[in-house]
Amino acid sequence: MNRLNRLNYSGKERKAKGKLSFLSVITSWVLIQTLLISSPSLADEKNKEENLTYGQLLEKIDQDQVKSIELDQLNYLAKVQLKKQGEKDAPFLVPILADNPELISRARDMNVEFSMDDSTDNAMAARVLVNFLLLFILLFGLVMIIRRSAQVSGQAMSFGKSRARFQMEAKTGVTFDDVAGIEEAKEELQEVVTFLKQPEKFTAIGAKIPKGVLLVGPPGTGKTLLARAIAGEAGVPFFSISGSEFVEMFVGVGASRVRDLFQKAQENAPCLVFIDEIDAVGRQRGVGIGGGNDEREQTLNQLLTEMDGFETNNGIIVIAATNRPDVLDVALLRPGRFDRQVGVDYPDLKGRRHILEVHAKPKKVSTEVSLETIAKRTPGFTGADLANLLNEAAILTARRRKNAITMAEINDAIDRVIAGMEGTPLTDSKGKRLIAYHEVGHAIVGTFTDTHDPVEKVTLIPRGQAKGITWFTPDDEPGLETRGEIISKIACSMGGRAAEEVIFGYDEITIGATQDIQQATRLARLMVTRLGMSELGQLALEDENTSSNPWAGNLPEYSEEIASKIDGQIRTIIMNCYEQAKQIIMENRTLIDRLVDLLIEKETIDGDEFREIVTNYHQKIEKKLAQLSI
Ligand code: ADP
Ligand code: MG
Ligand code: ZN
């Protein structure tokens, strides 16, 4: 699609250039013209007072005052050099007639040097020639422009036809083995494979096979891959097009592309037609800001017509993908169209491990690498993220001149994919100490709120936007999160700012906590408005589409009074969590000081070391307490 778009662009560019050169031709022509016209007139002006009349010239010849005469018959001028003139003086210009027998005979009588000037003749000829040439260039330019624009409009007329905007693969070469972690979806679609392979099995008993399947899921979860695998498993051609390709500047182009696509598909049946990003065409008609979009509506109507048009048994299956099924026109989801929806969700732990297996297979991976551990560290990663992760690790391995990918490269790659590029370490300063306290604050608060995930590592090496990072190992398999867990997450987020305030004082707190505060507020708002986890009760006050921006989503439907209550609840949650975090920091001040010293020295403390220091410290305290109580 990119390639074709680029072609389109360069076409427009060329047109613009054509206009440009046309303009420059005109200007240069005008310029040259004025130059050519103005130069003789300038010469005329200069010689004005020195001119002779024809009669005077004849007189001068008779008086033998004339040295030479040069006739310029094109301009009807005689250039007259008088005897009293110096060699370098400009000649007198005398207007003459077309025929000058008298002048010539008199000059001959008086033995005046006489010549015809053919150089002016040449100049004149050259001038005429240049003008003709320019005129020709101009005309040529005009013709080219007219021809080009004719071509462009011709293209517009045949856009949908001649330009195959869809791709066709006779064999995708992808099988179900290449798709991992989305087993339910694979199972559901197995049926489609069977239908494409042996439609008679179904038609014999009068079963209707769905014509359209809608794959619903976030980007990168393997929807395209899955569709290609279906075609690959069934051994049928794979037609693909992106919904955005349908939507063109010209009304009707999209519809003609749909016709074209289905015509090609008919010719190649049985086959699979894949429409990516179907929400680009399939949005509900005539709604939203600005009303309907004619072009999109026509395209959508055409798509619906085509889908209704082919019989259940002619072997075309249409698979469409989207991550916004909620915006789709209901007509698309009616029986006989995309009546079957298959969810393709983020892979779970097991799924991630399987996906990693698939992508690790063609790579050289050291035997010490545990895919299980990687899968544990990467909740929320999609298949595409995991593929990217292993690729990053492979690149790092090559850069470090190792033979096989080891855990070190993979961990670095994970950090990089999640948090961005590693920056240069900070130099020792008060700023670095503050960041160290901030990070240890997160780690300690996370550790002492017992429902929180364990610390993976604390580091002062900057990455992306962050100057320091505290990583937590996510739950093995996150089940349903509890209120306590969310609260401890909020407290842990506030841990950084709490440490800043407790250790350095209120005036010294920094903007480093911006992200933390944002995250905490988001969680708290979620608790109040959607999760029913506040004093306001079990109410869904907002949903994912609610927004205070009328252009972006639905306006919230509660009253001003409720709105201020929501704000109050959010405030209460955050304040309580912040107090809790400050409490934990104050109670563990000595431990925090020790951890900060170590962190500044080592830049990174990993989880095991961190926990060891924490438990040692607590054992010591307990011992002391025991001694005291004796
Ligand atoms: P989507 O179409 O859902 O946005 P893609 O199918 O384009 O995602 O996935 C992009 C790439 O990510 C694939 O080519 C593949 O390498 C990898 N990938 C994604 N999901 C999976 C999966 N479930 N199993 C294996 N690889 C996957
Ligand atoms: Mg895709
Ligand atoms: Zn922080």
Side-chain angles (χ1 to χ4, degrees):
M1 112 188 196
N2 270 335
R3 197 179 62 80
L4 289 162
N5 271 350
R6 232 183 294 138
L7 268 182
N8 233 4
Y9 264 111
S10 59
K12 273 176 209 153
E13 249 166 47
R14 250 185 277 136
K15 197 172 157 195
K17 265 190 207 149
K19 262 182 202 152
L20 213 92
S21 61
F22 163 64
L23 255 179
S24 60
V25 164
I26 290 189
T27 43
S28 64
W29 185 61
V30 171
L31 268 179
I32 292 170
Q33 270 291 32
T34 44
L35 263 178
L36 285 170
I37 292 165
S38 64
S39 53
S41 69
L42 265 177
D44 284 349
E45 212 121 324
K46 202 174 113 208
N47 288 311
K48 209 160 228 168
E49 56 277 274
E50 297 173 67
N51 278 354
L52 296 169
T53 61
Y54 190 62
Q56 284 170 327
L57 176 61
L58 293 181
E59 231 169 72
K60 293 241 181 217
I61 293 174
D62 288 342
Q63 290 163 3
D64 196 14
Q65 286 181 13
V66 179
K67 190 172 161 219
S68 68
I69 298 175
E70 199 179 300
L71 279 191
D72 174 354
Q73 271 179 325
L74 261 171
N75 293 322
Y76 302 112
L77 277 178
K79 290 181 187 165
V80 178
Q81 203 85 37
L82 297 183
K83 282 190 174 157
K84 63 177 183 199
Q85 273 185 301
E87 278 286 303
K88 282 174 195 138
D89 289 347
F92 289 91
L93 297 176
V94 184
I96 53 172
L97 309 170
D99 259 341
N100 303 288
E102 199 181 352
L103 177 68
I104 295 168
S105 68
R106 282 202 197 190
R108 195 177 294 137
D109 289 348
M110 296 307 292
N111 266 339
V112 176
E113 269 178 54
F114 198 86
S115 65
M116 300 284 243
D117 180 8
D118 50 353
S119 68
T120 36
D121 209 26
N122 277 349
M124 188 67 185
R127 194 156 97 192
V128 170
L129 203 72
V130 166
N131 278 352
F132 264 112
L133 206 71
L134 286 170
L135 202 68
F136 178 73
I137 291 171
L138 183 71
L139 281 178
F140 184 75
L142 269 173
V143 167
M144 286 307 283
I145 287 162
I146 289 167
R147 271 186 52 180
R148 183 151 299 154
S149 62
Q151 248 175 27
V152 167
S153 58
Q155 271 168 14
M157 294 309 145
S158 60
F159 249 143
K161 272 202 105 60
S162 62
R163 296 223 168 169
R165 286 307 191 103
F166 51 85
Q167 279 91 44
M168 184 198 151
E169 286 175 74
K171 289 257 180 305
T172 60
V174 181
T175 66
F176 273 164
D177 287 342
D178 299 318
V179 189
I182 37 179
E183 300 306 321
E184 296 90 7
K186 261 160 75 174
E187 233 156 73
E188 281 223 51
L189 294 164
Q190 186 64 49
E191 192 179 282
V192 176
V193 175
T194 321
F195 169 66
L196 284 167
K197 262 184 174 162
Q198 305 153 305
E200 57 292 340
K201 242 188 180 179
F202 293 85
T203 46
I205 49 170
K208 275 195 179 171
I209 286 293
K211 297 178 217 173
V213 179
L214 189 63
L215 298 180
V216 178
T221 44
K223 298 183 294 296
T224 311
L225 186 71
L226 194 57
R228 295 181 68 216
I230 295 167
E233 287 280 333
V236 299
F238 179 73
F239 289 87
S240 69
I241 187 165
S242 170
S244 55
E245 305 257 2
F246 286 130
V247 185
E248 273 286 344
M249 185 163 50
F250 304 100
V251 173
V253 172
S256 95
R257 274 195 193 139
V258 173
R259 262 196 305 278
D260 205 30
L261 172 68
F262 279 89
Q263 194 187 326
K264 277 270 150 39
Q266 296 274 16
E267 289 165 14
N268 289 282
C271 67
L272 192 149
V273 174
F274 179 64
I275 304 175
D276 212 350
E277 302 170 48
I278 193 160
D279 43 304
V281 271
R283 267 169 202 270
Q284 284 170 34
R285 285 165 288 188
V287 294
I289 286 153
N293 171 335
D294 256 351
E295 163 63 354
R296 216 181 50 214
E297 284 188 12
Q298 281 194 20
T299 310
L300 178 57
N301 288 338
Q302 188 64 40
L303 186 63
L304 297 177
T305 315
E306 293 289 344
M307 286 196 72
D308 288 342
F310 60 80
E311 284 305 307
T312 42
N313 59 358
N314 71 349
I316 300 177
I317 289 218
V318 189
I319 295 187
T322 182
N323 55 348
R324 298 289 312 272
D326 51 311
V327 300
L328 290 183
D329 199 294
V330 281
L332 262 180
L333 308 174
R334 244 187 37 194
R337 291 161 182 170
F338 294 101
D339 49 2
R340 197 164 283 205
Q341 290 198 19
V342 176
V344 183
D345 217 341
Y346 289 104
D348 58 8
L349 179 69
K350 209 171 102 207
R352 290 197 297 277
R353 208 189 61 226
H354 286 153
I355 295 172
L356 286 167
E357 273 164 18
V358 168
H359 288 279
K361 208 177 264 171
K363 297 189 172 66
K364 270 195 188 161
V365 181
S366 156
T367 44
E368 51 110 13
V369 169
S370 153
L371 296 181
E372 181 79 29
T373 314
I374 308 174
K376 270 186 191 158
R377 267 205 75 188
T378 50
F381 272 47
T382 62
D385 293 333
L386 292 169
N388 179 31
L389 170 72
L390 284 182
N391 195 47
E392 286 277 333
I395 291 172
L396 275 175
T397 310
R399 200 179 293 156
R400 294 177 188 172
R401 297 176 200 285
K402 291 189 186 172
N403 295 326
I405 303 172
T406 69
M407 214 56 203
E409 279 77 42
I410 289 179
N411 278 329
D412 283 355
I414 295 177
D415 291 357
R416 189 165 174 177
V417 169
I418 297 178
M421 296 278 281
E422 193 172 282
T424 44
L426 303 161
T427 46
D428 270 331
S429 65
K430 187 182 161 204
K432 187 171 183 176
R433 269 203 107 63
L434 187 131
I435 294 163
Y437 271 106
H438 179 110
E439 295 309 328
V440 171
H442 283 307
I444 285 292
V445 175
T447 306
F448 286 99
T449 48
D450 38 37
T451 45
H452 202 278
D453 298 333
V455 173
E456 160 100 20
K457 68 177 172 193
V458 188
T459 175
L460 286 186
I461 297 171
R463 229 174 233 290
Q465 303 276 312
K467 296 250 189 298
I469 303 174
T470 308
W471 300 83
F472 293 94
T473 319
D475 235 349
D476 267 10
E477 199 47 55
L480 297 171
E481 255 182 313
T482 62
R483 180 171 190 274
E485 279 167 355
I486 302 175
I487 288 284
S488 63
K489 261 191 189 156
I490 297 175
C492 175
S493 293
M494 305 308 292
R497 165 58 63 86
E500 286 179 26
E501 190 187 332
V502 169
I503 285 117
F504 294 87
Y506 190 59
D507 279 343
E508 296 291 312
I509 57 175
T510 69
I511 60 171
T514 319
Q515 296 273 322
D516 301 334
I517 293 173
Q518 247 170 35
Q519 197 195 339
T521 312
R522 200 175 46 81
L523 280 177
R525 181 165 199 98
L526 213 62
M527 286 177 71
V528 179
T529 61
R530 287 167 66 181
L531 306 177
M533 290 180 177
S534 75
E535 284 165 25
L536 292 192
Q538 338 298 322
L539 291 177
L541 297 164
E542 291 179 357
D543 58 36
E544 65 266 37
N545 293 323
T546 312
S547 159
S548 55
N549 177 358
W551 305 96
N554 307 334
L555 283 171
E557 281 171 6
Y558 41 73
S559 64
E560 298 261 327
E561 193 194 334
I562 296 287
S564 76
K565 276 192 181 153
I566 291 176
D567 293 340
Q569 283 296 310
I570 295 174
R571 237 179 91 82
T572 314
I573 294 175
I574 300 271
M575 287 307 163
N576 287 344
C577 287
Y578 187 61
E579 284 311 315
Q580 191 194 347
K582 278 211 301 203
Q583 196 63 36
I584 294 174
I585 302 281
M586 285 188 277
E587 282 168 8
N588 295 282
R589 178 67 203 262
T590 346
L591 170 62
I592 292 174
D593 287 343
R594 181 175 311 168
L595 283 163
V596 164
D597 287 341
L598 189 69
L599 185 60
I600 285 183
E601 183 194 320
K602 292 182 60 176
E603 310 257 86
T604 300
I605 305 177
D606 67 33
D608 292 335
E609 195 177 358
F610 179 86
R611 271 181 291 280
E612 205 182 300
I613 295 169
V614 172
T615 27
N616 278 348
Y617 175 80
H618 273 264
Q619 277 165 2
K620 257 187 222 160
I621 298 238
E622 268 158 30
K623 247 190 224 160
K624 264 199 191 137
L625 284 177
Q627 281 167 0
L628 281 176
S629 63
I630 286 173

